[in-house]
Amino acid sequence: MDKIYGRKPVLDTLDTDIKIYKAYILKQNSKLVNKIIGKLEEKNIEISFVDKRFFDKIDINHQGVMIEVESFKYESLDDLSDEKRLIILDQIEDPHNLGAIIRSAESFGFDGVVIPERRSASVTSTVYKTSAGAINNIKVYRVKNLTRSIKDLKDKGFWIYGLAGEADSSIDKADLTGKVGLVVGNEGSGISRLVRDNCDMLVNIPMLGRVNSLNASVAAGISMYELLRQNGFN
């Protein structure tokens, strides 16, 4: 069972087919909360109206709203069909970064996000909240071996580009049309050696300032926008 916090993530979840078991609501003067209550009642979902103490120990921006839902269902890369744009995350361990990348991926029309089972953030309440509901509208593929999965994607016609600050080629010079997988590495160490060796090409994001590195979610967002730009925003 997963828990989702926050007014917008909860409201967005109510518009999906995700099974919701129970809701916990802090009584408050809010039109959005009243809208949530109305939707919960329409779906005959049990609501427990709680006091402030219920949320006191929760270290997340809950906004006085929480729902218990079925555990998140990851997709399998074996089920790929018409997907053309994937963002591949190599050991992104911060759930805030994962949520932000999922949000950007959904906004830029990507078909899915690929994460490994080990040494990676998984979908948690923080990811739900940070993605601002986008996680309900995009596929998340969880794989046992990222290197092997990249090889499988290449066999299916994908070109794999890895973001690396030391790369010789800038991302705007790469051909990001067709079936593309963009690899974003760990917040500190970047792309791991085996994953790096299996990329078709390493690319960098040109920068003019003295700081020569970007937050993982920012780098992912810039690279996804560049792919979208090259494809004529289609």
Side-chain angles (χ1 to χ4, degrees):
M1 184 184 299
D2 290 336
K3 296 177 181 179
I4 300 176
Y5 299 90
R7 297 168 189 172
K8 190 175 188 309
V10 166
L11 192 60
D12 288 341
T13 303
L14 283 165
D15 290 330
T16 70
D17 295 327
I18 295 174
K19 183 175 178 58
I20 302 172
Y21 298 107
K22 188 174 180 179
Y24 298 84
I25 306 288
L26 177 66
K27 275 287 191 178
Q28 51 194 293
N29 184 21
S30 166
K31 290 182 179 180
L32 195 54
V33 171
N34 289 336
K35 185 176 181 180
I36 290 170
I37 292 172
K39 284 181 173 288
L40 288 166
E41 290 175 341
E42 287 176 7
K43 292 192 169 189
N44 295 316
I45 296 167
E46 180 183 355
I47 305 173
S48 179
F49 292 102
V50 298
D51 59 27
K52 185 175 180 296
R53 290 174 296 177
F54 179 86
F55 289 102
D56 280 346
K57 295 182 180 180
I58 297 173
D59 186 23
I60 192 171
N61 185 17
H62 52 75
Q63 299 177 306
V65 180
M66 182 191 89
I67 54 176
E68 294 175 339
V69 301
E70 62 182 337
S71 296
F72 184 80
K73 294 179 180 178
Y74 296 97
E75 303 288 337
S76 170
L77 284 179
D78 292 335
D79 297 329
L80 284 179
S81 54
D82 299 326
E83 289 82 355
K84 293 176 59 178
R85 303 168 183 170
L86 299 174
I87 186 82
I88 302 167
L89 307 183
D90 183 17
Q91 301 178 19
I92 295 294
E93 297 175 317
D94 185 341
H96 293 91
N97 275 338
L98 176 57
I101 291 169
I102 289 171
R103 183 175 183 176
S104 294
E106 197 277 336
S107 298
F108 290 130
F110 269 59
D111 298 307
V113 179
V114 181
I115 62 174
E117 286 185 1
R118 299 177 62 236
R119 299 188 65 184
S120 170
S122 57
V123 176
T124 63
S125 56
T126 299
V127 174
Y128 271 103
K129 186 74 170 63
T130 311
S131 76
I135 196 167
N136 294 321
N137 303 308
I138 192 170
K139 296 177 180 179
V140 179
Y141 300 89
R142 199 178 190 192
V143 300
K144 291 185 177 180
N145 187 300
L146 194 60
T147 302
R148 186 180 302 120
S149 295
I150 286 174
K151 291 178 180 177
D152 291 341
L153 287 172
K154 291 167 73 171
D155 289 340
K156 293 178 180 179
F158 279 83
W159 280 81
I160 309 298
Y161 296 88
L163 292 182
E166 71 280 9
D168 295 328
S169 301
S170 61
I171 191 168
D172 58 307
K173 299 297 190 297
D175 181 5
L176 301 182
T177 58
K179 300 173 74 171
V180 172
L182 296 175
V183 182
V184 179
N186 177 269
E187 293 89 344
S189 56
I191 301 174
S192 59
R193 183 184 61 81
L194 285 175
V195 170
R196 176 187 295 257
D197 291 345
N198 280 278
C199 289
D200 291 302
M201 184 177 183
L202 297 179
V203 294
N204 65 51
I205 296 173
M207 289 179 285
L208 301 177
R210 295 184 179 181
V211 176
N212 61 359
S213 64
L214 294 170
N215 172 276
S217 63
V218 174
I222 292 171
S223 63
M224 286 188 279
Y225 177 83
E226 173 60 22
L227 184 149
L228 192 63
R229 184 190 69 81
Q230 289 193 25
N231 286 274
F233 299 95
N234 294 317

